[in-house]
Amino acid sequence: MKPGSMKIVIQTDAFDLGAEVNAMSQGRTDIGAIASFVGLARDMNEGSGVQAMTLEHYPGMTEKALATLVEETCARWALLDVTVIHRVGRLLPGDPIVLVAVASSHRGEAFAACEFVMDALKTRAPFWKKEETPEGERWVEARVSDNTAAARWDELP
Amino acid sequence: MKPGSMKIVIQTDAFDLGAEVNAMSQGRTDIGAIASFVGLARDMNEGSGVQAMTLEHYPGMTEKALATLVEETCARWALLDVTVIHRVGRLLPGDPIVLVAVASSHRGEAFAACEFVMDALKTRAPFWKKEETPEGERWVEARVSDNTAAARWDELP
Amino acid sequence: MKLRVLYFARLRERFGMTEEKVELVGSTAADLVAQLQARGGVWAEELGAGRAFRVAVNQDIVTLDASFPENAEVAIFPPVTGG
Amino acid sequence: MKLRVLYFARLRERFGMTEEKVELVGSTAADLVAQLQARGGVWAEELGAGRAFRVAVNQDIVTLDASFPENAEVAIFPPVTGG
């Protein structure tokens, strides 16, 4: 991956998947595959309604953790570009929260790297969600399944 | 997946990833994850330059094969929406060829289903590529790696 | 039995036709392939042993032992390369 | 040794502060956690045995046996839940 072709942004505003993916492939003809992921706020979690959520993060560490994670990803797969955008602040159900897009020559690498970034982000990037429910506010608890998802990359090729 | 929430299109025109993904999540709050993939025409294949390519297909069978494939995908994973768009006709390096987007409550299902659709499409949907190279025109040969990629889904959970 | 046979991609170009009506002696995909091979030339070459091609019946890919229904739409084409 | 300690999310709310200066007796993350637990109340509760929390030193997550450099920026927070 050429230096600088990595974009990591923490923002309160919405992002535009189409624009981010177009920016990756714009003016180049060596990309064969772009795998992307958008995570959205759902109206339901742990069996109760969610009216809104607020995302808090650790400024400074967030950027550092994501940069380390993306560098690790680029060392593991042959990639041409990576974009990670994570929102913070108050979000409503249906709002996009996180975007990961990975460009590569071939699809296998793009898919694997995109899913790896999401799995690793879920356990290593310092974001916390607080949900507003009819029963009051509550901090979301970390999921065992996220640790399982992240851990399987330690074994996979 | 509710009936009708599956979109399969064969077209000559370009597609708009952002618009397709937005259309999936528009007005609903139950989607937590959208995994998507865009395949693009590269300027290089099998070690020689590609100036353009033409995609031919088998009208009728293409739609049928893709519908069967998407139904199979929906039977295998808990999905909320699937979109597949494949272009035909003459394309230049850098042009997008295929789009697959999969919406689900959770990311694991969305990633797996999206990659499955791409792998299966590569071996089961009747499209053929003819490349224009400095050495003349040539039909692209099927790749053993595509058969390998498709076959691994027979074993995976 | 009467069949409509379509050709695609490299086979369409090499055979010089997009489709034809075939009066098949026999009833399976293997019978059709043997009958076409017997034409010699590019037919023998492209459909010969060791060559990779696919046969679809009414728009589903089948194996060579598949029997055709009457008036089937048959297609013969190279392994697919889309996506 | 002198440390700057930051708290996030549920711990920030329960401890009622976003950060503080701590004069640590000892040098490891475990020493810091023990010293904070000794304050009792919510500190003993949230940092007690069996509670899940993470410690970061200069913005990297560390294990409890990690030693702090002088003037380290330390953070204590719940397991992360972004994405």
Side-chain angles (χ1 to χ4, degrees):
Chain A
M1 198 162 85
K2 69 174 195 291
S5 55
M6 172 202 300
K7 176 177 173 180
I8 294 169
V9 184
I10 315 298
Q11 63 186 36
T12 52
D13 293 342
F15 47 72
D16 180 340
L17 173 67
E20 297 301 331
V21 168
N22 285 343
M24 282 187 151
S25 60
Q26 194 68 41
R28 60 193 295 181
T29 53
D30 56 340
I31 294 176
I34 301 180
S36 57
F37 178 84
V38 174
L40 302 105
R42 296 171 64 215
D43 58 6
M44 187 64 75
N45 189 28
E46 304 285 330
S48 91
V50 177
Q51 294 149 335
M53 64 169 63
T54 301
L55 271 144
E56 174 173 335
H57 78 126
Y58 178 176
M61 178 170 166
T62 314
E63 292 79 355
K64 185 176 174 181
L66 290 176
T68 302
L69 198 163
V70 171
E71 278 159 25
E72 219 175 275
T73 309
C74 292
R76 186 157 174 174
W77 290 281
L79 306 180
L80 296 168
D81 204 352
V82 177
T83 293
V84 179
I85 304 178
H86 203 298
R87 295 176 73 186
V88 291
R90 190 163 183 273
L91 300 174
L92 300 176
D95 283 347
I97 303 171
V98 59
L99 176 159
V100 175
V102 175
S104 182
S105 299
H106 303 290
R107 74 185 184 286
E109 285 88 340
F111 272 118
C114 187
E115 189 166 12
F116 172 77
V117 170
M118 271 310 302
D119 283 351
L121 182 155
K122 284 262 181 186
T123 58
R124 288 162 53 180
F127 294 99
W128 299 273
K129 282 182 191 141
K130 187 180 201 174
E131 294 175 339
E132 300 168 30
T133 76
E135 300 82 40
E137 292 191 340
R138 65 179 185 199
W139 288 98
V140 174
E141 299 280 328
R143 299 167 69 99
V144 172
S145 64
D146 284 333
N147 286 316
T148 311
R152 77 200 156 106
W153 295 100
D154 298 338
E155 289 134 40
L156 287 175
Chain B
M1 199 162 86
K2 69 174 194 287
S5 55
M6 173 202 299
K7 176 177 173 180
I8 294 169
V9 184
I10 315 299
Q11 63 186 36
T12 53
D13 292 342
F15 48 72
D16 180 342
L17 172 67
E20 296 301 331
V21 168
N22 286 344
M24 282 185 151
S25 60
Q26 195 67 42
R28 60 194 291 181
T29 53
D30 56 339
I31 295 176
I34 301 180
S36 57
F37 178 83
V38 174
L40 303 105
R42 296 172 64 216
D43 59 6
M44 186 66 74
N45 188 28
E46 304 286 330
S48 91
V50 177
Q51 294 149 335
M53 65 169 63
T54 301
L55 271 144
E56 175 174 333
H57 78 126
Y58 178 176
M61 177 169 167
T62 314
E63 291 79 355
K64 185 177 174 179
L66 290 177
T68 302
L69 197 164
V70 171
E71 277 160 25
E72 220 176 276
T73 309
C74 291
R76 186 159 174 172
W77 289 280
L79 306 180
L80 296 168
D81 204 351
V82 177
T83 293
V84 179
I85 304 178
H86 203 298
R87 294 176 73 186
V88 292
R90 190 164 182 274
L91 300 174
L92 300 176
D95 283 347
I97 303 170
V98 60
L99 177 159
V100 175
V102 175
S104 182
S105 299
H106 303 290
R107 74 185 183 285
E109 284 88 340
F111 272 119
C114 187
E115 189 166 14
F116 172 77
V117 170
M118 271 310 303
D119 284 351
L121 181 156
K122 284 264 181 183
T123 59
R124 288 163 53 180
F127 294 100
W128 300 273
K129 283 182 190 140
K130 188 180 200 173
E131 295 175 338
E132 300 168 32
T133 76
E135 299 83 39
E137 293 190 339
R138 65 178 185 199
W139 289 97
V140 174
E141 299 280 329
R143 300 167 69 100
V144 172
S145 63
D146 283 333
N147 286 315
T148 311
R152 75 198 158 104
W153 295 100
D154 299 338
E155 289 134 41
L156 286 176
Chain C
M1 69 194 318
K2 288 180 196 311
L3 301 172
R4 180 178 168 221
V5 185
L6 315 180
Y7 306 107
F8 290 96
R10 193 190 70 247
L11 297 187
R12 174 180 55 73
E13 286 189 347
R14 295 226 61 204
F15 297 160
M17 62 178 77
T18 58
E19 67 172 275
E20 62 175 324
K21 301 280 184 197
V22 173
E23 180 65 46
L24 175 65
V25 182
S27 63
T28 68
D31 295 334
L32 173 63
V33 169
Q35 187 170 320
L36 296 176
Q37 273 181 336
R39 293 172 176 177
V42 292
W43 300 89
E45 198 180 304
E46 289 290 348
L47 303 176
R51 296 308 299 262
F53 59 87
R54 301 284 180 266
V55 179
V57 177
N58 292 337
Q59 307 186 345
D60 286 317
I61 289 178
V62 297
T63 52
L64 284 179
D65 58 357
S67 291
F68 298 131
E70 188 68 28
N71 295 313
E73 174 182 302
V74 179
I76 306 182
F77 46 74
V80 306
T81 57
Chain D
M1 69 193 317
K2 289 181 197 309
L3 301 172
R4 181 178 168 221
V5 185
L6 315 181
Y7 305 106
F8 290 96
R10 193 191 68 245
L11 297 187
R12 174 180 55 72
E13 286 188 347
R14 295 226 61 203
F15 298 158
M17 64 178 76
T18 57
E19 67 172 274
E20 64 175 323
K21 300 280 184 197
V22 172
E23 180 65 46
L24 175 66
V25 183
S27 63
T28 67
D31 295 333
L32 174 63
V33 169
Q35 187 170 321
L36 296 176
Q37 275 181 334
R39 293 173 175 176
V42 291
W43 300 90
E45 196 180 307
E46 290 289 349
L47 303 175
R51 297 307 300 261
F53 59 87
R54 301 282 179 266
V55 179
V57 177
N58 293 335
Q59 307 185 346
D60 286 317
I61 289 177
V62 297
T63 52
L64 284 180
D65 59 355
S67 291
F68 298 131
E70 188 67 30
N71 295 313
E73 174 182 304
V74 179
I76 306 183
F77 47 74
V80 306
T81 57

